[in-house]
C-alpha cells in the first residue's frame, strides 16, 4: 500500500509546485521511509531520522500556527503509534497537524490554512 501513498505524495507535490511556485521550497518531505540495509538505516537514525515524522511539512506560518505537519494516508490507512506521538508533539507546541487522504482533501486543508496568513 505504500506505493499508493507515494503516488498521492507525488501528486500533491506536483499540484503545490504548479499552484504555489513562489512557495515551492515551503512544502518539504523528510525522507524517513523506505527500505534500507542495516548499515544505512543505522546511519540515518544517527543523523536524526525519527519514526512517525509526518510525510510533509508546510513551512508557512499563519495567524494560528507556526507550521503544519501533513501525514498522508490512503483511504484505509491508519496512523501508527509513533505518528500519533508526533501529532501530539506538534500540537503541544502549537503547530497544526493533519492527516490527508486525497489531493482534494489536501487542497481543502491548504486553502483553509493559507487564508489565515
Amino acid at each position: 500500500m505504500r506505493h499508493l501513498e507515494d503516488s498521492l505524495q507525488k501528486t500533491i507535490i506536483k499540484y503545490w509546485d504548479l499552484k504555489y511556485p513562489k512557495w515551492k521550497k515551503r512544502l518539504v518531505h523528510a525522507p524517513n521511509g523506505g527500505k534500507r540495509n542495516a548499515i544505512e538505516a543505522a546511519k540515518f537514525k544517527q543523523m536524526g531520522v525519527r519514526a512517525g515524522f509526518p510525510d510533509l511539512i508546510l513551512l508557512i506560518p499563519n495567524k494560528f500556527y507556526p507550521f503544519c505537519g501533513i501525514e498522508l494516508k490512503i483511504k484505509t490507512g491508519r496512523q501508527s503509534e509513533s505518528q500519533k506521538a508526533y501529532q501530539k508533539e506538534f500540537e503541544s507546541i502549537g503547530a497544526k497537524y493533519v492527516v490527508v487522504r486525497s489531493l482534494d482533501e489536501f487542497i481543502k486543508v491548504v486553502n483553509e490554512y493559507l487564508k489565515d496568513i
Side-chain angles (χ1 to χ4, degrees), residues 11-103:
T11 300
I12 284 170
I13 293 298
K14 189 173 189 177
Y15 166 82
W16 178 263
D17 289 353
L18 290 170
K19 178 77 174 171
Y20 302 104
K22 71 179 183 177
W23 289 332
K24 188 174 185 174
K25 294 183 179 182
R26 301 277 185 109
L27 185 64
V28 181
H29 168 68
N32 276 359
K35 300 219 182 239
R36 297 184 172 93
N37 66 44
I39 293 171
E40 194 174 45
K43 174 184 164 187
F44 276 87
K45 189 173 183 179
Q46 291 170 346
M47 293 173 67
V49 168
R50 307 274 190 238
F53 194 77
D55 295 303
L56 297 169
I57 302 294
L58 179 56
L59 296 171
I60 298 174
N62 71 14
K63 289 191 285 188
F64 305 105
Y65 305 103
F67 62 91
C68 180
I70 303 167
E71 180 61 36
L72 303 177
K73 293 290 177 196
I74 59 169
K75 189 181 276 189
T76 58
R78 294 188 173 185
Q79 283 179 286
S80 68
E81 290 305 312
S82 58
Q83 290 167 338
K84 289 176 186 177
Y86 258 105
Q87 180 173 0
K88 286 179 185 174
E89 190 71 26
F90 275 44
E91 291 170 350
S92 77
I93 61 169
K96 185 167 182 73
Y97 182 104
V98 294
V99 177
V100 168
R101 297 178 184 281
S102 69
L103 176 60

